[in-house]
Amino acid sequence: MSVAWLGLVPFAAYVLLFLAVPTILAVGSGFFTDDGAFTWTNVTALADPVVLNTFANSAGLSLLTAVVGAVAGALVCYALLGMNPQGAVRSSVDAAAGVLAQFGGVMLAFAFIATVGAQGVMTLFLQDAFGLNIYENGMWLYEVPGLIMPYIYFQVPLMVITFMPALAALKPQWTEANLTLGGTRASFWLRIGIPVLAPSFLASLLLLFANAFSSYATAAALASQGSQIVPLQIRAALTSETVLGRENLAGALALGMIVVVGIVMALYSLVQRRAARWQS
């Protein structure tokens, strides 16, 4: 039995070196000054109105994109439910979802700049064909509102990946029993389908929230100026000349992010445990 545990050594080493140690160093730095003296100054900065507003922006952006991504992804899953799991359409959508869920960073930012940027294809088309200037009120693509579409872009396929197994696990016998007892399709979803799928949907929603809240690369590529969300504020604390000498503030901000994501993932674990009861 002890020999079997040796198979976990590579994974444990990976988690230790690339997750645990960086997390400890990042969070620990928030409690020390550059001279190595212990301080609460960096942590108390989390109560600063500017920092709180940044956390509110991150939470609002994450919640909005998570809800939209979850609803849209659930509708895609429902559309796929009646298709052959081994068919070309279902296989293509599954493959595309796996790829697009990981498509982000500079590549995704460039795709949106080329499409809906100031000189983007769609921007110029709407302006030439309909006289519509989508940037009449400012260049919102490079601010927090401009992050909504890119985030939804990878949230929807992530929802398809996480929610499709739960939807596919609905037992055909439940539908037959509902019809036998005189039920309709609407009554099946209202009394059986939605209540059964609710924990899985909520778990996926929490996962999407955590995914958006911790995303950095796409936001960093689009919003090169300013620190409207927490990951960008951490970057500013480390690199900006205007906050020189407050690099350890990044550790405190990382601590705040870890607390938020930790709470969300704890809720995800509890909800997922309940959802697994009927899937087993």
Side-chain angles (χ1 to χ4, degrees), residues 184-202:
T184 62
R185 177 182 291 269
S187 65
F188 169 79
W189 285 109
L190 290 175
R191 298 181 180 179
I192 302 174
I194 292 178
V196 167
L197 291 174
S200 296
F201 182 85
L202 180 58

Side-chain angles (χ1 to χ4, degrees), residues 154-179:
F154 58 72
Q155 293 281 59
V156 173
L158 180 60
M159 181 64 179
V160 173
I161 294 174
T162 58
F163 189 63
M164 190 65 204
L167 195 60
L170 288 175
K171 296 178 174 57
Q173 294 87 339
W174 297 346
T175 304
E176 297 172 358
N178 174 68
L179 294 175

Side-chain angles (χ1 to χ4, degrees), residues 17 31 72 87 117 125 132 138 149 169 184 200 243 270:
L17 293 176
F31 293 93
F125 171 76
L132 178 62
M149 290 192 298
T184 62
S200 296
V243 290
L270 293 174

Side-chain angles (χ1 to χ4, degrees), residues 24-247:
I24 293 174
L25 293 177
V27 174
S29 65
F31 293 93
F32 296 91
T33 64
D34 292 338
D35 299 329
F38 183 83
T39 180
W40 289 102
T41 303
N42 295 319
V43 177
T44 55
L46 293 176
D48 186 274
V50 175
V51 175
L52 292 177
N53 183 65
T54 305
F55 271 93
N57 288 340
S58 289
L61 175 65
S62 302
L63 182 60
L64 175 61
T65 57
V67 171
V68 175
V71 173
L75 293 176
V76 173
C77 292
Y78 179 75
L80 294 174
L81 187 62
M83 297 183 179
N84 181 9
Q86 307 302 325
V89 176
R90 177 78 173 269
S91 300
S92 298
V93 173
D94 289 341
V99 173
L100 296 178
Q102 304 300 322
F103 184 71
V106 177
M107 295 184 296
L108 182 59
F110 173 77
F112 272 87
I113 292 174
T115 305
V116 294
Q119 299 297 320
V121 176
M122 289 300 301
T123 304
L124 296 179
F125 171 76
L126 292 174
Q127 187 172 350
D128 295 338
F130 304 101
L132 178 62
N133 182 11
I134 62 176
Y135 293 113
E136 183 177 358
N137 297 320
M139 292 296 298
W140 48 264
L141 181 62
Y142 306 110
E143 300 175 355
V144 173
L147 298 177
I148 295 176
M149 290 192 298
Y151 276 36
I152 292 176
Y153 186 89
F154 58 72
Q155 293 281 59
V156 173
L158 180 60
M159 181 64 179
V160 173
I161 294 174
T162 58
F163 189 63
M164 190 65 204
L167 195 60
L170 288 175
K171 296 178 174 57
Q173 294 87 339
W174 297 346
T175 304
E176 297 172 358
N178 174 68
L179 294 175
T180 301
L181 295 174
T184 62
R185 177 182 291 269
S187 65
F188 169 79
W189 285 109
L190 290 175
R191 298 181 180 179
I192 302 174
I194 292 178
V196 167
L197 291 174
S200 296
F201 182 85
L202 180 58
S204 298
L205 179 65
L206 291 171
L207 183 62
L208 265 60
F209 178 90
N211 179 55
F213 193 84
S214 59
S215 294
Y216 166 76
T218 303
L222 273 177
S224 59
Q225 301 294 328
S227 52
Q228 302 96 331
I229 60 176
V230 182
L232 299 186
Q233 195 168 50
I234 293 176
R235 179 190 64 181
L238 294 172
T239 63
S240 177
E241 296 181 357
T242 59
V243 290
L244 192 63
R246 294 295 305 277
E247 291 85 357

